[in-house]
């Protein structure tokens, strides 16, 4: 199971790299769960990240605006991101989600077919009116995305497991794999959750708070020793 760690700047990225993270995921928590960072930050992080490691970038908790989002996704790819993550926040249903993600996939793959597109839903989608999280595998499959992901939209201390049981998550992972895709799970993941996620076959686990001093995704800073502990569990 790969460990994805989400730094907000170059210094945090260095800590994540030193701690052994597999994917360096550039994000901006000030703009939400999957808040987008700036193109120059993505470029700087890609520059200091070993070529053997993948750099990921979020393009935001996005609205239902396929043109806007596909342009943002292309910008992330051109800035050096290998993984481009789209948070389907303002998308209400399957049809809207597939339309939006198809636009993203086309924009990114036309630029570089090796880039990896991630369709990300929210386990607590009902709290923000987003698309049902259990439809995300089909959205990823039918839009041509490479990875189906779940996170939590509202960061109030509740975790992925507060909204979806281990059994439902196991079915989610299995469905994603049946479609030949990879599965990523995040959402205020704690150290104790990692063995469970590994057991159910998760391909990628995403963390920020658990890798920060004090466990605070907003006020804390990523620490290499915490990253190392999480990596060992993976």
């Amino acid at each position: 199971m790969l460990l994805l760690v989400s730094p907000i700047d170059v210094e945090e990225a260095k800590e994540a790299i030193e701690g052994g993270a597999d994917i360096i995921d550039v994000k901006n928590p000030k703009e939400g769960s999957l808040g987008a960072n700036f193109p120059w930050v993505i470029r700087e992080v890609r520059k200091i990240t070993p070529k053997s490691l993948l750099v990921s970038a979020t393009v935001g908790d996005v609205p239902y605006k396929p043109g806007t989002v596909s342009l943002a996704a292309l910008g992330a790819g051109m800035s050096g991101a290998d993984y481009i993550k789209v948070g389907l926040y303002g998308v209400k249903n399957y049809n809207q989600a597939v339309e939006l993600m198809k636009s993203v996939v086309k924009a990114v793959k036309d630029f570089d077919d090796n880039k990896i597109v991630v369709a990300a839903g929210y386990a607590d989608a009902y709290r923000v009116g987003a698309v049902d999280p259990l439809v995300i595998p089909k959205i990823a499959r039918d839009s041509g995305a490479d990875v189906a992901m779940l996170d939590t939209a509202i960061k109030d201390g509740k975790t992925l497991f507060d909204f979806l049981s281990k059994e439902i998550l196991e079915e989610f992972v299995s469905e994603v794999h049946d479609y030949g895709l990879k599965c990523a799970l995040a959402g205020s993941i704690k150290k104790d959750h990692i063995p469970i996620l590994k057991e159910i076959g998760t391909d990628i686990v995403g963390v920020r708070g658990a890798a920060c001093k004090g466990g605070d995704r907003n006020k804390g800073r990523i620490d290499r020793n915490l990253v190392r502990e999480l990596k060992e569990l993976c």
Side-chain angles (χ1 to χ4, degrees), residues 161 164-174 196 200:
F161 289 92
L164 297 173
S165 67
K166 176 189 171 184
E167 290 71 27
I168 289 174
L169 289 169
E170 191 166 18
E171 288 176 16
F172 183 95
V173 173
S174 178
I196 302 169
I200 65 174

Side-chain angles (χ1 to χ4, degrees), residues 10 40-51 55 79-80:
V10 169
W40 49 90
V41 176
I42 299 170
R43 279 198 301 269
E44 288 166 3
V45 170
R46 177 68 274 182
K47 202 178 291 181
I48 61 104
T49 301
K51 288 184 179 175
V55 169
S79 299

Side-chain angles (χ1 to χ4, degrees), residues 163-234:
F163 302 101
L164 297 173
S165 67
K166 176 189 171 184
E167 290 71 27
I168 289 174
L169 289 169
E170 191 166 18
E171 288 176 16
F172 183 95
V173 173
S174 178
E175 183 181 356
V176 173
H177 288 164
D178 286 345
Y179 298 150
L181 307 176
K182 298 290 187 186
C183 182
L185 294 175
S188 300
I189 297 299
K190 310 296 184 197
K191 198 173 166 182
D192 295 346
H193 295 145
I194 289 184
I196 302 169
L197 295 175
K198 187 175 178 183
E199 181 190 334
I200 65 174
T202 309
D203 299 295
I204 303 161
V205 57
V207 299
R208 174 164 173 80
C212 289
K213 287 179 180 175
D216 190 322
R217 76 188 296 270
N218 294 313
K219 295 177 183 174
R221 297 283 292 171
I222 290 174
D223 178 82
R224 67 185 65 187
N225 296 314
L226 294 173
V227 174
R228 199 168 287 125
E229 288 175 20
L230 296 167
K231 174 62 182 170
E232 284 171 8
L233 289 170
C234 290

